[in-house]
Amino acid sequence: MTSTAPADLRPDPPGPDGAADLAAFGYRQELHRSLGRYASFAAGFSFISVLTTVFQFFAFGYAFGGPVFFWTWPAVLVGQLLVAACFAELAARYPISGAVYQWSSRLSNLTFGWFAGWIMVIGQIVVVAAAALALQIVLPAIWSGFQLIGSDPAPTSPDGAANAAVLGVILLVLTTLVNVVDNRVMSVINRVGVTAEIIGAVLIIVLLLTHSERSPGITFHTGAGSTGLFGALMVGSFAAAYVMIGFDSAGEMSEETHHPRRTAPRTILVALGSAGLLASLIVLGGLLAAPSLTDGHLAVDGLGYVLTSSLGDGVGRALLVDVVVAIAVATLAIQTAACRMLFSMARDGQLPLSRRLAKVNPRTGMPSAPALAVGVLAAALLLLNFASPDAFLAIGTTCIVMLYLAYAMVTGPLLVRRLRGQFPDPDGQGGTDEEGRPLFSLGRWGIPVNAVALVYGLFMTVNLAWPRAAVYDPTGGHWYFQWFTLLFLGATVAAGLLYRALRARTAVEEAPEAVPASYA
């Protein structure tokens, strides 16, 4: 359905660099186009959020993999760079909000693309909740007063899990407000936060490497209690897989970015590459600088323990403050990405309450209803933490699986298009960007890169979703956490099927809907 907007809508700025291009896809410029290259990079980098996710999952990766889990980071980075390269090509050709939904729909058909978007947006909402939970990893370590419930700050304890939910809800209230105010405010917060995070990450790397207690050779050891090298790598890869997602956010923000056909492909790759490199070095530095690899602290307290014990309380706590900033900005960026996905699907009339979800405030350039919806649903997910500490891991793993599956629902149809010779110019609109230069393209490497990216994505989806009792239900008695990812994914697909069935049943009573231009 072609998007509608108030008659007095004045996109800011109204330049032709994106509005006319967007019109070719059947949409009007409603979101304010005010983001530059660094803001586009910040959107992807802040979703990945090196400090948030490394601090959040370092302890888990080490507990199951030992020092050898370091090697999962470069391995996952290479695999995700292949996926990102495919996405960069699509971002250059389809510069539209709701990236995964739009790309999958236009490469396959609207029904398949709808399920890709549906799985993606539910996964993004879960990621918002998981990111907000990360505050528990660092705030109590900075000051015990942040432990509002009980006395045990460990996220795996009942007190820590409940406190994580409370802190997470408070953060979600703040990020929801920012996502309603104005996209300029959101962009400024993102850019400042990402700059602070990059500076903090570099400082952490330098300080950890200069306080090394051992040589890098330790990374070839699995550690006590691991399940062998293969098992250590498979489970240890969860941490890296959780970190290196969300790089497609630069594509999500295409309708708010100047020269998106040129900017988005590059910022997708740069955001993932820089974040993956920084994350790998932080993990290596943490392993080398940890006072001990066998006293149990690394598997419970993670990098926070390394910073405060190796660098001293003063320096360690100061760096943890920077981590708090990164967590807040990451939660904001992920919520923003989910909002754009909801908005994109809603303006096509593809969601319940579509008219409300597709409404953009002409003054702020922000879709307010999606922000409220994502905030409320993510906060509801946090309530699972009151049920059991194991919910933390279940939520974290579920969101990774959802995003990996949605990514495969893009790389799969893209590979089919390539094999049919219908790519890299699928819409017949030419091969140049806003500056008249050739669009980003993998050229003759397109098919092999795409094929490996698809196989990698499907393999990691199965690996992450596998119901390992030792991982998801270590204390026993909570079978639903062991199967939580598959149950949640099944419920998501079932809810989607039910909605599509009800929608098809009532479609005969409604006027036929126009389909946006360029859907194949």
Side-chain angles (χ1 to χ4, degrees):
M1 182 175 65
T2 303
S3 181
T4 59
D8 63 344
L9 178 63
R10 293 184 295 276
D12 182 23
D17 62 295
D21 197 8
L22 189 59
F25 292 101
Y27 300 118
R28 293 183 61 184
Q29 183 73 57
E30 298 176 90
L31 304 174
H32 290 187
R33 195 175 291 275
S34 58
L35 306 183
R37 184 174 300 176
Y38 188 70
S40 176
F41 162 79
F45 190 93
S46 56
F47 192 123
I48 300 170
S49 190
V50 174
L51 296 185
T52 300
T53 46
V54 172
F55 274 79
Q56 193 171 13
F57 270 84
F58 181 95
F60 170 81
Y62 185 82
F64 283 92
V68 77
F69 100 105
F70 161 76
W71 293 106
T72 63
W73 294 81
V76 170
L77 175 59
V78 171
Q80 289 295 71
L81 279 172
L82 298 178
V83 177
C86 295
F87 283 10
E89 284 188 306
L90 293 169
R93 289 156 181 81
Y94 302 119
I96 315 172
S97 291
V100 166
Y101 157 68
Q102 293 284 351
W103 299 339
S104 183
S105 297
R106 296 168 190 278
L107 292 170
S108 55
N109 57 65
L110 189 55
T111 299
F112 187 84
W114 185 90
F115 275 100
W118 176 248
I119 292 171
M120 183 70 180
V121 75
I122 298 299
Q124 287 173 327
I125 292 171
V126 181
V127 179
V128 174
L133 287 174
L135 283 179
Q136 182 63 25
I137 307 293
V138 289
L139 280 181
I142 296 173
W143 178 48
S144 60
F146 287 117
Q147 185 64 34
L148 306 175
I149 298 177
S151 57
D152 188 350
T156 53
S157 69
D159 288 350
N163 197 67
V166 172
L167 295 176
V169 169
I170 294 172
L171 177 58
L172 287 174
V173 171
L174 297 175
T175 58
T176 300
L177 288 175
V178 173
N179 261 306
V180 170
V181 175
D182 192 288
N183 75 338
R184 289 189 185 87
V185 175
M186 177 270 296
S187 176
V188 169
I189 293 175
N190 251 353
R191 283 178 288 165
V192 172
V194 164
T195 302
E197 181 172 6
I198 292 173
I199 293 172
V202 172
L203 284 175
I204 289 173
I205 291 169
V206 171
L207 290 172
L208 289 178
L209 292 179
T210 55
H211 286 75
S212 295
E213 298 285 341
R214 55 195 62 83
S215 71
I218 193 65
T219 59
F220 292 98
H221 296 272
T222 56
S226 69
T227 55
L229 179 60
F230 182 76
L233 291 174
M234 290 302 97
V235 180
S237 67
F238 286 23
Y242 182 76
V243 170
M244 286 177 262
I245 54 175
F247 45 84
D248 54 298
S249 292
E252 292 278 9
M253 305 299 289
S254 287
E255 291 183 31
E256 296 156 84
T257 304
H258 295 301
H259 308 298
R261 288 182 182 267
R262 180 161 185 79
T263 300
R266 287 156 180 77
T267 52
I268 286 174
L269 293 170
V270 173
L272 175 60
S274 57
L277 177 61
L278 289 173
S280 300
L281 292 175
I282 290 174
V283 170
L284 178 62
L287 292 172
L288 300 186
S292 172
L293 298 180
T294 57
D295 63 2
H297 280 293
L298 270 186
V300 177
D301 303 319
L303 277 177
Y305 151 74
V306 179
L307 288 185
T308 55
S309 58
S310 298
L311 306 180
D313 279 348
V315 175
R317 290 176 195 273
L319 291 172
L320 288 179
V321 171
D322 192 56
V323 177
V324 173
V325 173
I327 293 171
V329 173
T331 305
L332 172 64
I334 300 166
Q335 186 175 7
T336 302
C339 292
R340 298 306 178 268
M341 181 68 76
L342 281 178
F343 163 74
S344 184
M345 296 181 72
R347 70 176 169 184
D348 285 352
Q350 297 297 314
L351 291 175
L353 304 174
S354 284
R355 185 168 300 179
R356 184 73 185 93
L357 291 171
K359 185 176 178 60
V360 176
N361 186 317
R363 180 181 62 82
T364 65
M366 303 286 271
S368 302
L372 294 172
V374 174
V376 171
L377 292 173
L381 279 173
L382 293 182
L383 299 180
L384 288 174
N385 247 37
F386 284 100
S388 171
D390 294 332
F392 170 81
L393 182 58
I395 291 173
T397 307
T398 297
C399 68
I400 313 172
V401 171
M402 301 282 280
L403 267 63
Y404 266 77
L405 181 58
Y407 288 172
M409 294 177 76
V410 174
T411 54
L414 177 58
L415 180 60
V416 172
R417 282 291 189 108
R418 290 188 196 278
L419 294 174
R420 291 177 177 173
Q422 298 173 335
F423 203 83
D425 186 22
D427 52 13
Q429 293 189 15
T432 58
D433 59 26
E434 296 87 354
E435 299 178 8
R437 301 178 184 179
L439 295 176
F440 177 87
S441 175
L442 292 173
R444 63 181 180 178
W445 291 99
I447 290 178
V449 167
N450 197 160
V452 176
L454 176 60
V455 171
Y456 158 79
L458 293 175
F459 173 79
M460 285 299 293
T461 300
V462 173
N463 176 44
L464 294 166
W466 200 267
R468 300 173 174 90
V471 175
Y472 299 116
D473 188 23
T475 59
H478 298 93
W479 66 268
Y480 44 87
F481 281 127
Q482 179 182 346
W483 295 89
F484 184 84
T485 297
L486 294 177
L487 291 172
F488 192 90
L489 180 58
T492 299
V493 174
L497 289 170
L498 178 61
Y499 170 70
R500 299 286 294 183
L502 292 175
R503 188 169 180 269
R505 185 175 180 180
T506 57
V508 294
E509 304 173 4
E510 301 174 353
E513 294 184 351
V515 177
S518 299
Y519 277 114

